[in-house]
Amino acid sequence: MMKEISVNEVGPLHIGQTENTEAGTGCTVFIAPEGMAAGLDVRGGGPASREPLLLDPLTSADAIHAVVLAGGSAFGLGAANGVMQYLEAHGIGYDTGFALVPLVVQSDIYDLSVGDSSIRPDAAMGYEAARLAMEAPNYRDGNHGAGCGATVGKLSGMDYCMKTGIGSYAVQIGELKIGAVVVVNALGDIFDWKTGTQIAGLLTPDKTGLRSTSEQMRNSPSLSANKFTSNTTLCVVFTNAGFNKSQLCKIAGMAHNGVVRSINPVNTSADGDSVYALSVGNLSCDQDLVGTLSAEIISEAIIRAVQNAEGAYGFPSLRDLQADAQ
């Protein structure tokens, strides 16, 4: 029987986050002090990432120590430097014989069109998020961490987009545990995967309801708007089942189907959609079961990100639309 649990109950994975609310950007860090096997699936055409080849099955590293999700686009990739500084200072890393080298990967959303574009996640923010992860885990859904400046529905520009955020969901079946954290920051619209109902995305001209981004694209085949304004959905799915890097790359690919179910259009040239899959345990389990469940868990986490977001920076949230409709 499947039951919902907290993402903090899945395994020895520490999650911390920090944000600059005024600037509209932030950072979320996942740390496994003893290391964790990891895989990656990237389908968006515009990713901002650091060390993705560490997760290629053909490269040497069997485990990494941290995953960083952040805002700031490519500027925010410096947050990983702070995470590395914290981990090195606390004896966490790959022993090269001369120094401990923490293996840290990172992916960022584009949130420079929200808040203050001159302020981006940096080493100080990454260090603080890592410190909180290890000393005072503080994960929350909504306008927090890497989801601080997340928005969706940008085809017609930022004037008609909606505020979203970061969301999570986790389940347990017997001894198997799987969780996911998702930063929902897409060009397209968001749908409830169980009903097919659109719950966020491109606002109507009067900003009181929703319209279809894909229909808008069909009606305007020669788009002149800058699509590279505030896109990319990032996911981290993790399990206490034991898998190697190659298996986790396949699980990440299957888990990405949850993104495809819930966002449309998705994986465009203007998105950097990426899914990390992490193994933080050694439970024996069927790979395809974990991949299938991971897709469903990601879809549910996407809904939670929309439901828990609060309107900010002049962008309404789902809560705001629901309150105005009453």
Side-chain angles (χ1 to χ4, degrees):
M1 181 177 178
M2 188 166 71
K3 66 176 182 179
E4 182 177 355
I5 59 174
S6 164
V7 290
N8 295 312
E9 298 178 52
V10 173
L13 185 68
H14 305 262
I15 309 175
Q17 50 190 14
T18 187
E19 60 279 326
N20 185 321
T21 303
E22 183 177 345
T25 196
C27 179
T28 302
V29 176
F30 306 77
I31 297 174
E34 303 301 320
M36 55 188 165
L40 173 65
D41 182 76
V42 180
R43 298 189 194 176
S49 56
R50 170 175 170 148
E51 296 271 44
L53 288 180
L54 281 176
L55 308 185
D56 187 320
L58 297 180
T59 59
S60 298
D62 293 325
I64 62 171
H65 301 98
V67 176
V68 181
L69 306 182
S73 189
F75 291 110
L77 293 172
N81 293 332
V83 177
M84 291 185 69
Q85 290 167 9
Y86 179 89
L87 296 179
E88 180 188 24
H90 291 80
I92 299 171
Y94 176 74
D95 189 355
T96 66
F98 297 93
L100 288 176
V101 180
L103 300 183
V104 180
V105 298
Q106 179 173 347
S107 289
D108 288 357
I109 66 169
Y110 188 109
D111 57 7
L112 301 179
S113 51
V114 174
D116 187 342
S117 64
S118 68
I119 297 176
R120 300 92 180 232
D122 56 11
M125 182 177 281
Y127 187 98
E128 179 62 9
R131 186 192 70 80
L132 289 168
M134 294 301 296
E135 301 174 21
N138 66 337
Y139 177 81
R140 289 186 293 166
D141 290 346
N143 299 21
H144 305 289
C148 182
T151 52
V152 296
K154 273 94 67 170
L155 187 73
S156 295
M158 297 300 288
D159 287 342
Y160 299 99
C161 75
M162 284 182 63
K163 186 71 184 73
T164 49
I166 194 169
S168 65
Y169 186 64
V171 301
Q172 180 173 355
I173 304 175
E175 296 182 33
L176 174 65
K177 300 177 182 179
I178 309 172
V181 172
V182 182
V183 182
V184 181
N185 189 68
L187 174 73
D189 304 321
I190 312 303
F191 295 83
D192 183 325
W193 68 289
K194 297 183 290 292
T195 66
T197 303
Q198 185 177 346
I199 58 174
L202 182 62
L203 292 170
T204 55
D206 64 4
K207 301 183 182 180
T208 62
L210 299 172
R211 50 183 164 153
S212 167
T213 293
S214 60
E215 183 177 334
Q216 187 78 357
M217 293 175 74
R218 290 193 296 270
N219 293 336
S220 305
S222 299
L223 294 169
S224 59
N226 179 10
K227 290 187 291 184
F228 292 88
T229 305
S230 207
N231 304 321
T232 293
T233 293
L234 303 176
C235 309
V236 178
V237 62
F238 38 94
T239 179
N240 66 339
F243 297 107
N244 61 36
K245 183 163 57 171
S246 178
Q247 292 171 314
L248 288 164
C249 284
K250 178 59 179 175
I251 289 171
M254 294 182 69
H256 210 134
N257 293 330
V259 179
V260 175
R261 283 191 193 122
S262 301
I263 303 175
N264 184 46
V266 68
N267 301 158
T268 72
S269 61
D271 290 290
D273 303 330
S274 304
V275 176
Y276 292 91
L278 313 177
S279 176
V280 291
N282 54 18
L283 182 72
S284 178
C285 192
D286 180 73
Q287 173 183 329
D288 293 324
L289 169 63
V290 173
T292 299
L293 289 174
S294 294
E296 296 178 2
I297 291 165
I298 281 177
S299 287
E300 194 62 34
I302 289 173
I303 294 175
R304 302 294 176 92
V306 172
Q307 290 175 334
N308 287 288
E310 299 177 2
Y313 316 107
F315 309 128
S317 66
L318 175 61
R319 292 179 181 181
D320 296 325
L321 294 189
Q322 290 173 335
D324 290 344
Q326 292 178 354

